[in-house]
């Protein structure tokens, strides 16, 4: 009698976090609490998987330090069979816009001071721009905008406007990569508008909108940051404890509003 096939190994743990916004110490504390780093901040999660959903910079004290930590942790995790993935957030797009175009303005950009003025108005930190190196720019320009992991569609923003980039995860990421490589300021204005859009799944037709995005890009649950639980979902900062599921159970909001007095949520998806 032939031997029975071995049972499949369980998938390694999957965690997500979003909108660190320069809060480097809070990021480390959240990872330490989950056993993903040790007391020195080095990867200790073994084969675990961590996905970060964008907005590493702006609003907080050390956005560039956060990027440096993410890059280092990705290398350390990969060396022991784990992984750290990172998505593009709208604040990375704003930072690169300020870096590339400065005070330039284009039609439709209603910001005093052009791209730089808009970046500053929405939480830009001069120190982040000053410390931005070609290596940081290259890392940001290689970030995908969406990922499909274990049935979870991971994106930064709670918007259906990802479909304006394409009708599949690969198409979205290809179009975003092209936008990041563009030298056309008009392309960047539209790019900023799409990435900062929000609220598609909180309206009356939110469940239908979520189903449309999931139907196109794949997945059973859409997981996003960008819209804070504190400001956009009305959770008092002191009551932020866990991610919020809504839109008929199809959508999970994971931005705990750390820069608004909430907390940096580290959410286990599996």
């Amino acid at each position: 009698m032939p031997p029975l096939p071995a049972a499949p190994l369980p998938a390694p743990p999957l965690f997500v976090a979003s909108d660190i916004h320069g809060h480097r110490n809070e990021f480390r504390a959240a990872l330490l609490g989950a056993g993903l780093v040790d007391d020195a901040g080095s990867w200790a999660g073994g084969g675990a998987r961590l996905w970060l959903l964008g907005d590493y910079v702006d609003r907080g004290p050390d956005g560039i330090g956060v990027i440096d930590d993410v890059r280092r942790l990705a290398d350390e995790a990969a060396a022991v069979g784990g992984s750290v993935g990172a998505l593009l957030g709208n604040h990375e797009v704003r930072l690169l816009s300020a870096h590339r175009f400065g005070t330039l303005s284009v039609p439709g950009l209603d910001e005093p001071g052009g791209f730089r003025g808009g970046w500053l108005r929405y939480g830009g930190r001069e120190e982040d721009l000053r410390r931005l190196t070609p290596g940081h720019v290259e890392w940001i320009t290689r970030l995908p905008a969406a990922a499909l992991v274990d049935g979870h569609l991971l994106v930064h923003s709670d918007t259906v406007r990802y479909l304006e980039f394409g009708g599949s995860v690969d198409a979205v990421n290809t179009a975003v990569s092209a936008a990041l490589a563009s030298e056309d300021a008009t392309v960047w204005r539209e790019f900023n508008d799409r990435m900062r859009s929000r609220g598609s799944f909180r309206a009356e037709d939110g469940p239908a909108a979520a189903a449309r995005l999931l139907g196109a890009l794949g997945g059973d649950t859409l997981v996003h940051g960008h819209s804070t639980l504190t400001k956009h979902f009305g959770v008092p900062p002191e009551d932020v404890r866990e991610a919020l599921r809504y839109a008929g159970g199809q959508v999970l909001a994971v931005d705990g509003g750390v820069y608004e007095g909430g907390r940096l949520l580290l959410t286990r998806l599996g």
Side-chain angles (χ1 to χ4, degrees):
M1 183 175 181
L4 294 174
L9 294 175
L14 172 62
F15 297 85
V16 296
S18 190
D19 295 78
I20 303 166
H21 281 302
H23 289 76
R24 195 177 187 183
N25 292 337
E26 291 85 347
F27 179 44
R28 178 177 290 191
L31 297 180
L32 180 63
L36 295 181
V37 301
D38 60 21
D39 288 340
S42 298
W43 182 258
R49 298 167 294 165
L50 170 65
W51 274 90
L52 305 168
L53 308 188
D55 280 8
Y56 313 100
V57 299
D58 298 346
R59 301 196 187 278
D62 193 1
I64 297 301
V66 169
I67 289 177
D68 289 340
D69 286 344
V70 173
R71 296 170 71 189
R72 174 181 54 78
L73 288 170
D75 289 341
E76 292 175 356
V80 295
S83 64
V84 176
L87 297 183
L88 181 73
N90 66 299
H91 280 266
E92 284 73 59
V93 177
R94 283 196 179 277
L95 176 64
L96 289 191
S97 298
H99 171 69
R100 292 184 175 182
F101 301 110
T103 59
L104 178 70
S105 189
V106 293
L109 180 63
D110 299 323
E111 296 284 0
F115 286 98
R116 183 183 176 91
W119 166 70
L120 288 170
R121 186 159 78 90
Y122 288 99
R125 295 293 185 102
E126 294 283 2
E127 185 72 358
D128 284 349
L129 188 59
R130 185 186 68 79
R131 292 171 56 203
L132 189 70
T133 67
H136 295 123
V137 171
E138 181 182 11
W139 182 80
I140 293 171
T141 58
R142 292 188 178 189
L143 294 177
L148 189 58
V149 184
D150 293 355
H152 299 92
L153 177 62
L154 309 180
V155 294
H156 174 68
S157 304
D158 47 322
T159 180
V160 296
R161 294 196 69 182
Y162 285 103
L163 294 177
E164 296 176 22
F165 291 115
S168 69
V169 166
D170 286 346
V172 168
N173 289 334
T174 296
V176 165
S177 180
L180 287 165
S182 175
E183 298 181 0
D184 186 336
T186 302
V187 169
W188 279 81
R189 184 209 41 93
E190 177 62 22
F191 191 16
N192 272 286
D193 286 348
R194 289 176 177 174
M195 290 295 294
R196 72 178 182 177
S197 178
R198 72 171 82 245
S200 294
F201 316 120
R202 284 182 278 129
E204 185 176 346
D205 65 346
R212 180 156 63 95
L213 190 61
L214 288 165
L217 303 188
D220 303 310
T221 303
L222 188 150
V223 184
H224 71 82
H226 188 49
S227 290
T228 60
L229 300 187
T230 42
K231 178 180 178 180
H232 298 282
F233 290 87
V235 180
E238 64 274 15
D239 291 340
V240 173
R241 294 289 182 271
E242 60 185 8
L244 177 68
R245 189 174 291 273
Y246 69 107
Q250 300 173 94
V251 183
L252 192 66
V254 302
D255 180 0
V258 64
Y259 74 92
E260 294 172 343
R263 66 172 55 191
L264 202 158
L265 294 175
L266 183 66
T267 300
R268 182 165 178 173
L269 299 180

